[in-house]
Amino acid sequence: MKKILRAYWLVISLHALVQIACYVFLAYDRTPADFIVNVVILPTAAGSAGILFASWIDRRLSSYSSYAMSAASTIIAWTIIHVNYDIRIIMAACLLPIFSSVLFFNKKGVWVSFVMQMIGYLLLLGVPSYRQFLSSFDIVSIPVFLLAGTYVAQVIVTSSIEVLDDLKDSMLAKQDLIVRNAIMAKQSKTDGLTNLYNQSSFKDYYDKAYEYANNGMSLHLALIDIDDFKAINDTYGHRVGDVILEKVSLIIQENITSSDIAARYGGEEFAILMFEQSFEQAYAMVEQIRQKIANMGHLELDGAFVTVSVGLKSYSPHLSKDKLFEEVDACLYAAKRTGKNKTVTSLDLPNLKSDVSGV
């Protein structure tokens, strides 16, 4: 809107400058006072008033801005025509408001602008000097000329609206496709039941995490397995088993940090990659998860409790990626074998092995 107003200011400024230049370099049958008042000051003042009015409407009643702009351009156009009616081609200026209204993509606004031009034409037709200058053909052809211009403007607006609608539909379709692709990408990476990462995604993250650990970043790997999960499925059914998996995964999600990665590794087994913390902090986190799970009763199991066993180990430069996973899995197996509902780390493993071998 401001650009249109600036264009209107430019038009009336150029008109005043051109008139002054013509008066200086060409022969005029007007006195200097008559020229300054009637050719420069009054037309410029009328145009300025129209622009200021449109600017005020735009600030106070923005919903009527397009009509105010049409009114301003109508005043400018017919003021210029009134001053220069002896120049035949100047009548084309009355198309300025009509084609300016196209910028607002408002069909009604185009016809409102046409009505304004007809009012301007009829008012100017009341000026004797102007009416005498026109032939009978001119009097009839000018309204036809305005009507034809309005029809062309209307076609432009209609076509533009159709193009905009097509673009809008295209953008909505593109946005829908982006959303669908994002959903599909998420579904391909996450487990549908628990909303944790799936095994495939975990392996990718594990590969990257191991590379980062080789460059000095701390890394801890934990494997969590629900104890006696087969018995739950056999006794209460797989639907109840799914509910337990959802509850356990929710506790895991609620207790890891935003930088950690949790996944459903398979069946009732979960894996967690922990970063930016010490071994003690990692151990405290998995213990917190284990204890919260153990303390939560389940109506689905008639109030019974569910426990998990946990294996935990930190990255070590002498361990390969596969060897690290195997040792964490060995810790998990030791937790299962020595009573369940516990967290076993690589620090505990030697003692547990000797205890078992001594039995």
Side-chain angles (χ1 to χ4, degrees):
M1 197 69 69
K2 291 182 179 179
K3 290 183 178 179
I4 298 175
L5 290 172
R6 283 197 292 268
Y8 289 171
W9 282 117
L10 180 63
V11 168
I12 63 172
S13 299
L14 287 176
H15 176 259
L17 291 173
V18 169
Q19 290 294 343
I20 293 171
C22 290
Y23 187 80
V24 171
F25 296 105
L26 299 177
Y28 261 71
D29 59 353
R30 291 174 177 267
T31 64
D34 176 44
F35 172 80
I36 292 173
V37 172
N38 295 307
V39 178
V40 178
I41 294 178
L42 290 180
T44 302
S48 299
I51 297 172
L52 292 173
F53 169 75
S55 179
W56 183 84
I57 292 293
D58 182 49
R59 289 194 304 271
R60 300 296 181 89
L61 302 167
S62 57
S63 58
Y64 296 97
S65 292
S66 60
Y67 303 117
M69 292 296 174
S70 293
S73 57
T74 298
I75 293 171
I76 294 170
W78 286 102
T79 299
I80 292 174
I81 292 170
H82 175 255
V83 173
N84 304 278
Y85 63 80
D86 55 333
I87 303 175
R88 286 285 180 180
I89 198 172
I90 204 65
M91 281 303 305
C94 64
L95 290 178
L96 170 66
I98 294 174
F99 284 104
S100 294
S101 65
V102 170
L103 299 173
F104 300 99
F105 301 104
N106 185 343
K107 295 179 182 179
K108 181 181 177 182
V110 173
W111 288 107
V112 169
S113 182
F114 166 75
V115 171
M116 290 181 181
Q117 306 324 300
M118 288 302 300
I119 293 173
Y121 171 63
L122 293 174
L123 289 174
L124 194 58
L125 204 59
V127 178
S129 59
Y130 177 69
R131 189 172 61 253
Q132 292 172 6
F133 181 78
L134 298 177
S135 66
S136 298
F137 176 79
D138 291 333
I139 293 173
V140 175
S141 63
I142 289 173
V144 174
F145 176 69
L146 287 171
L147 188 62
T150 302
Y151 174 75
V152 172
Q154 186 73 14
V155 170
I156 293 173
V157 170
T158 301
S159 300
S160 299
I161 291 174
E162 290 175 355
V163 170
L164 286 175
D165 288 341
D166 289 341
L167 286 173
K168 183 179 179 180
D169 291 341
S170 177
M171 286 298 296
L172 289 174
K174 186 176 180 180
Q175 290 174 359
D176 184 58
L177 181 61
I178 291 172
V179 171
R180 288 174 181 268
N181 287 339
I183 293 173
M184 290 176 64
K186 181 180 179 181
Q187 289 176 341
S188 69
K189 291 183 178 182
T190 57
D191 174 65
L193 178 64
T194 63
N195 285 324
L196 297 176
Y197 288 110
N198 56 30
Q199 186 184 98
S200 176
S201 298
F202 173 79
K203 289 180 177 179
D204 291 339
Y205 285 120
Y206 182 48
D207 290 344
K208 293 177 182 177
Y210 189 84
E211 291 178 12
Y212 293 148
N214 282 332
N215 293 322
M217 183 180 70
S218 64
L219 171 64
H220 314 284
L221 172 63
L223 294 177
I224 300 174
D225 190 88
I226 300 176
D227 297 326
D228 303 315
F229 188 72
K230 184 178 184 301
I232 294 174
N233 279 333
D234 292 343
T235 304
Y236 298 96
H238 289 278
R239 179 68 194 99
V240 172
D242 288 347
V243 172
I244 299 303
L245 286 169
E246 290 175 343
K247 288 184 175 182
V248 169
S249 67
L250 184 60
I251 291 176
I252 292 173
Q253 291 180 72
E254 289 175 345
N255 289 275
I256 61 176
T257 69
S258 59
S259 60
D260 299 330
I261 294 173
R264 183 185 178 190
Y265 193 75
E268 70 274 19
E269 188 173 354
F270 302 87
I272 305 177
L273 293 171
M274 292 163 280
F275 309 94
E276 301 177 0
Q277 52 191 304
S278 66
F279 174 79
E280 290 76 15
Q281 290 172 320
Y283 179 81
M285 179 187 293
V286 295
E287 267 294 280
Q288 179 174 277
I289 291 171
R290 182 189 65 78
Q291 290 171 9
K292 285 189 176 182
I293 293 171
N295 293 330
M296 183 171 64
H298 303 277
L299 294 176
E300 299 83 2
L301 304 180
D302 299 325
F305 295 85
V306 171
T307 63
V308 296
S309 297
V310 185
L312 173 67
K313 183 172 177 60
S314 299
Y315 163 84
S316 179
H318 70 276
L319 292 176
S320 67
K321 178 181 61 180
D322 294 335
K323 186 63 176 175
L324 173 60
F325 194 92
E326 289 173 5
E327 292 206 6
V328 176
D329 197 42
C331 292
L332 173 62
Y333 179 70
K336 289 280 191 183
R337 192 178 51 179
T338 57
K340 304 175 183 176
N341 190 23
K342 63 172 62 176
T343 298
V344 172
T345 72
S346 55
L347 301 177
D348 305 318
L349 200 56
N351 295 329
L352 290 174
K353 286 182 177 180
S354 63
D355 290 342
V356 172
S357 63
V359 174

